[in-house]
Amino acid sequence: MLDIISKPILVSGSSVSPLEVHYAADAAQTGWNEKCFDYLKRFEAEVCRILGVRYAIATPSCTAALHLALLTIGVKAGDEVILPDSTWAATANAVAYTGAVPVFVDVCRDDWTVDPEAVKRAITPHTKAIIPVHLYGHPCKMDELNAIAKGHGIYVIEDAAESMGSLYHGKHTGALGDMACFSFHGSKTVVMGEGGVFTTNDEHLYARARFLGDQAKHPTRRFFNEEIGYKFRLSNIQAAFGLAQMERLEEIVAKKRRIFQWYREELAGVEGLELNPELPGIRNNYWMVTPILGANWKGGAERLLAGLEKRAVSVRPFFYPCTELPIYAHCRREATPVAHELHERGLNLPCGAELSREEVHYICAHLRNILTGEEDSHPVTGWLARREQFLRAREDFPSVEFLDPDFQAMDCEIRLPEGGTPTAGLLESIHRSLGFRRLFLRQAPGEKEGGSLLMELGFAEHQRIPYIGMDGYGQVELFRQTYRDVCAYETVYVKTF
C-alpha cells in the first residue's frame, strides 16, 4: 500500500501569485486618504466586467451580502424565504437575522441544487424571496426558478458563494437572478481571506443596497440618519487582493477543473462512485470534488471520512441538511430525502487550486483501498516522495533550519545558528541526503565578509533586497520608498548542484 505521508493534504487551498502580493502591499502603503476607495472601486468594476452585471457592492462576507439583499427588498418578521435544505447554515442564518422564516425544500438528484417543483409547493402568500444555492459550484435551474418567481411576484437572490467562475448557458452565476451574493473566504475558488460581493442589474435595488450597507447616510446632511443602517463595507486592502484574484479568475478555474479531471481519471472504474455533476450547458467551477457513494458501499460516507483522515487526507462531510440542525429543525415543512441521502453518502476531497497530480494519485489510491480492501502496489511518487525523504532525513542536520522547502522545484532556503558558516562538507551532505538542487542563504546587511566566504563555497549572488531605516523598528524591507531612503541591502545567495 502507499506510504502514509507525514503531513495532511488539506481539503482546500488558494492560488496566490505575486500580483496579489503587489496589489495588497500597494494598498497598504498608498491606499489611504483620497485613495482609500481606489482598490474597492477597481474590484467592484472588475466584478461587473467579468460577470456581466451593472452593479456590484463589496461586502465583508457573503453572509453580509445575503443579509443586505434581504434588507434591500424589505424582508422582515412574518415573511418567508425559500431555500434548499442542502446548504451551509449561513444561507439560513441571513434569513433569520431579518426575523423572517426560512422554508427548506429538497434538492434535485441530477445537480444537487434546489428542486423547482419543491419550490412551487412551498410558496405561500407570505413568501418574499427564493434563495437558490449554486451548491459546490454547480448552477441551479435558473430559468425555471426565475419563471416561478416572476409568476408569483417574488424575488430571486442567488447564493453564489461557491460558484465564482461557473457558467449557466454562457452566463456567469451572479448575473442570473434579481440579486446575487458571492464569498471570497479563504476556502473558496477566488479568495481574499474573508469578503463577499453583492451584485444586481437593477438600479433601484443597487441604490437601496448601497444606502443601507453604508450606515444609511443621509444623501445631503452629513452625519444625519433617518433609518437604521449597517456597516457592510469591505476594506481597501482586501479589495486589492481580491482584484488580483478576479483578474486571474479564468486561470484559477482552469486549475480547479484540471484537478477534477485528474480525480475523474484516477477513480474511473470504481463501481458505485459518482462525482460532481455537470449538466449540459453548464460550466462547473468544481469548487469541491465531491464523491457520492452508491448504496452498495456499507456505512455511507462516515467510514470513508474516518479512513482518509487516518491516512493524512483532510476531508469534509457533505453539508448537513439544515433541518437536521437543532436551530432549524422546527422549519421543516416536508421531507427532503435527496438532501439527506447526499449528506449520508457524500464527502469533499482535497481540491486546493495548487494540488498536484501526485497528491491526487495518493488520495485516490487510499480511497480505493478503504472501499475495496485491495492493496495498491504503486508507491508514493513525485514531490510527495521527496517530501517524505526530507522529513525522515532532516533530523541528521539539527543545526540547520530549513525554510519553506519547495519539493517540486527542489529548492530550499537554509539558515544556520547566528554566526554560523556552512562548510563544503555540510552543503554536499544536505544535497546528497535531501536531494535539493538549489540552496539559498541570506546575508544580513553589512556582512561583507560572509559574502566572500559564500562565493568560495560556490554560491552566487541571486537577489539584493533593499532596506530602509525606521525609528524604533530597525531596518524594514523596502516596498515603494524612493531609493534615496535605502540604507542597506540584504543579499540572497544561491548554490546550484
Side-chain angles (χ1 to χ4, degrees):
M1 187 58 206
L2 286 171
D3 296 333
I4 295 177
I5 62 174
S6 304
K7 292 185 178 181
I9 300 173
L10 300 178
V11 72
S12 61
S14 57
S15 173
V16 178
S17 76
L19 186 63
E20 287 84 349
V21 177
H22 173 70
Y23 281 0
D26 183 47
Q29 188 137 34
T30 68
W32 307 99
N33 303 318
E34 72 276 6
K35 295 185 177 182
C36 65
F37 300 131
D38 283 9
Y39 277 104
L40 271 168
K41 292 175 181 176
R42 288 177 62 186
F43 170 74
E44 291 173 349
E46 185 70 359
V47 168
C48 290
R49 184 189 72 80
I50 290 175
L51 301 186
V53 295
R54 293 178 65 192
Y55 306 107
I57 301 173
T59 62
S61 66
C62 183
T63 309
L66 285 166
H67 189 190
L68 179 61
L70 293 162
L71 293 168
T72 296
I73 58 174
V75 172
K76 61 187 184 306
D79 292 331
E80 296 176 352
V81 178
I82 299 171
L83 60 158
D85 209 6
S86 286
T87 186
W88 172 228
T91 314
N93 290 346
V95 177
Y97 297 159
T98 67
V101 177
V103 176
F104 299 100
V105 300
D106 209 0
V107 295
C108 298
R109 191 63 182 81
D110 62 352
D111 65 1
W112 311 347
T113 71
V114 68
D115 183 349
E117 292 302 315
V119 169
K120 287 180 186 177
R121 293 194 297 271
I123 292 174
T124 74
H126 301 291
T127 304
K128 189 83 171 185
I130 306 166
I131 304 182
V133 179
H134 305 309
L135 196 69
Y136 295 128
H138 196 289
C140 300
K141 296 177 172 68
M142 292 302 298
D143 288 344
E144 295 176 54
L145 294 168
N146 282 329
I148 293 167
K150 185 176 181 181
H152 289 83
I154 56 182
Y155 289 94
V156 175
I157 304 169
E158 296 172 72
D159 182 340
E162 304 161 9
S163 68
M164 182 60 78
S166 294
L167 301 178
Y168 177 82
H169 300 292
K171 293 183 68 175
H172 278 271
T173 59
L176 306 172
D178 296 298
M179 294 168 281
C181 307
F182 289 90
S183 171
F184 297 91
H185 182 267
S187 67
K188 296 299 189 289
T189 301
V190 174
V191 305
M192 58 174 75
E194 283 286 1
V197 70
F198 163 101
T199 62
T200 185
N201 282 310
D202 187 301
E203 182 179 1
H204 298 292
L205 292 175
Y206 165 72
R208 181 65 177 164
R210 181 68 82 180
F211 173 74
L212 289 174
D214 192 19
Q215 296 289 20
K217 295 176 183 175
H218 193 280
T220 58
R221 300 172 66 182
R222 293 185 67 190
F223 304 113
F224 186 85
N225 302 76
E226 295 177 326
E227 291 187 55
I228 294 174
Y230 301 82
K231 187 66 172 178
F232 285 156
R233 180 184 286 164
L234 187 71
S235 77
N236 197 51
I237 295 175
Q238 287 171 285
F241 196 98
L243 171 63
Q245 288 272 289
M246 288 301 297
E247 289 178 357
R248 297 179 55 232
L249 176 62
E250 287 302 315
E251 172 197 344
I252 296 170
V253 170
K255 288 174 183 276
K256 298 284 282 188
R257 288 180 61 82
R258 180 181 62 185
I259 289 165
F260 184 82
Q261 183 59 33
W262 289 341
Y263 273 107
R264 196 199 305 273
E265 293 168 3
E266 290 277 350
L267 295 174
V270 179
E271 186 179 353
L273 192 71
E274 169 195 343
L275 290 178
N276 306 55
E278 186 176 63
L279 297 186
I282 298 298
R283 182 179 79 170
N284 193 335
N285 72 359
Y286 294 125
W287 170 53
M288 285 284 166
V289 174
T290 307
I292 304 296
L293 300 175
N296 55 314
W297 301 113
K298 303 303 179 186
E302 284 191 16
R303 183 167 66 92
L304 193 52
L305 285 161
L308 288 170
E309 290 282 359
K310 288 179 182 177
R311 289 160 169 82
V313 177
S314 295
V315 286
R316 304 179 359 159
F318 200 103
F319 286 129
Y320 277 91
C322 287
T323 52
E324 289 299 310
L325 305 177
I327 51 176
Y328 292 119
H330 66 285
C331 297
R332 184 183 291 112
R333 295 279 179 90
E334 63 177 50
T336 54
V338 178
H340 281 73
E341 177 198 345
L342 291 171
H343 167 69
E344 291 162 6
R345 299 197 168 275
L347 70 156
N348 304 139
L349 297 175
C351 55
E354 299 299 338
L355 200 70
S356 70
R357 182 67 189 255
E358 290 93 344
E359 289 172 299
V360 172
H361 172 71
Y362 173 90
I363 294 161
C364 293
H366 279 287
L367 187 152
R368 288 193 300 269
N369 173 250
I370 296 165
L371 289 177
T372 66
E374 296 176 1
E375 292 292 323
D376 195 308
S377 59
H378 302 293
V380 172
T381 59
W383 80 268
L384 285 172
R386 295 192 289 271
R387 186 175 79 171
E388 290 304 293
Q389 177 189 355
F390 166 78
L391 292 170
R392 287 191 295 268
R394 69 177 174 179
E395 296 178 2
D396 296 337
F397 305 94
S399 65
V400 180
E401 184 179 357
F402 297 92
L403 305 174
D404 298 323
D406 182 339
F407 298 107
Q408 299 189 47
M410 289 310 289
D411 291 344
C412 187
E413 180 181 343
I414 62 173
R415 182 183 294 162
L416 300 173
E418 190 172 347
T421 303
T423 64
L426 175 64
L427 296 169
E428 187 59 39
S429 182
I430 290 173
H431 168 63
R432 186 173 57 253
S433 299
L434 303 179
F436 290 115
R437 301 188 185 103
R438 295 196 302 175
L439 293 176
F440 295 87
L441 263 173
R442 292 177 185 241
Q443 177 192 290
E447 291 184 8
K448 311 238 182 248
E449 180 86 13
S452 301
L453 293 173
L454 292 177
M455 295 288 194
E456 292 175 10
L457 292 169
F459 281 85
E461 187 174 309
H462 178 71
Q463 182 181 12
R464 301 186 82 204
I465 303 170
Y467 278 72
I468 63 166
M470 287 188 64
D471 293 342
Y473 294 93
Q475 293 173 341
V476 178
E477 185 176 331
L478 172 74
F479 175 61
R480 286 183 63 93
Q481 287 85 353
T482 59
Y483 275 86
R484 67 175 180 271
D485 297 328
V486 173
C487 64
Y489 287 92
E490 181 179 68
T491 309
V492 180
Y493 290 89
V494 60
K495 179 176 176 63
T496 304
F497 293 91

